[in-house]
Amino acid sequence: MNKFTALALAFLSGSAAAQTPATNPMPDGSRDMYVGLGLVSAARYEGAEHSERKALPVLQVQWSNGVFVSGMSAGMHLSSDPRVEFGPLVELQRRRDESGSGGGVDGMLMRYSVVSLPDAALSENRLTGMTPVATRLLGGGFLNAYLTPDWRVTGSLLYGAGNERDGARLDLGVQRLAMQAGAHHRISVAAGVSLVNAGYNRAFFGVDELDSLRSGHPVYRPGGGLKDAHLGLRWNWAFTPSWMLTSNLQLVRLAGDARHSPLVERPTNLTVSTAIAYRF
């Protein structure tokens, strides 16, 4: 497996999904690291009408023992079978308050502001009066299987989201691995869905009695089920063996009880990002 394929795999999942880069056999004691800087334009929170544009750091590290860090998630490959990947996974859930989301993950791209670029004035903020959702560390695992050398299905389950720490999210997807488009270009595509329990939907899309009094929204108690469907397109351009430009389009469509939340202004969100990364 070449480095372009391994790197592209980390970029394919949606921003809602924890990242699980492909296992990358390396000599004992070695590691593979990418760092860099880029820009992202994304919805202020899931279902927001307005976007925010931020500078962002880039990080991905894989060690020969199977441990990896990708954006704001980390895990470990335990399988010795190249057709199957599985292991434990943790992800840092970003805080959400009236100002939007404080950080996030899109493959290697850690959407955590170092410089915020100005937005148009917001005419409405549906999070005003809502209880902030605190930062949480989610724990679970992942399981990926290769249908062919170029296609794999992915799955991850994480638990502990929301202020009550009872939110669970199951991400399922299919990925077409890096397709060559010339000597230095690779294109990757992915599609998937996210399913959540009632605790997750209540945390991010629900409105309880106290929130209703403070925000003016009607009380809303969503159940679990399908939260969203998402599509992704990634383009990697390797200038040299060490330098790469990576750009991503991510389309997410909310569904089910999440879609009908009074907090949702627009059910479809588009994330656009581009970054330059250096391989050590």
Side-chain angles (χ1 to χ4, degrees), residues 74 88-92 136-141 157-161 167-169:
L89 186 68
V90 295
E91 177 186 301
L92 188 65
R136 292 285 184 251
L137 184 65
L138 313 185
L157 178 63
L158 291 167
Y159 184 81
R169 188 184 79 234

Side-chain angles (χ1 to χ4, degrees), residues 65-66 76-81 85-88 142:
N65 61 3
M76 184 175 186
H77 288 281
L78 299 179
S79 175
S80 58
D81 185 344
E85 300 163 345
F86 64 84
F142 67 93

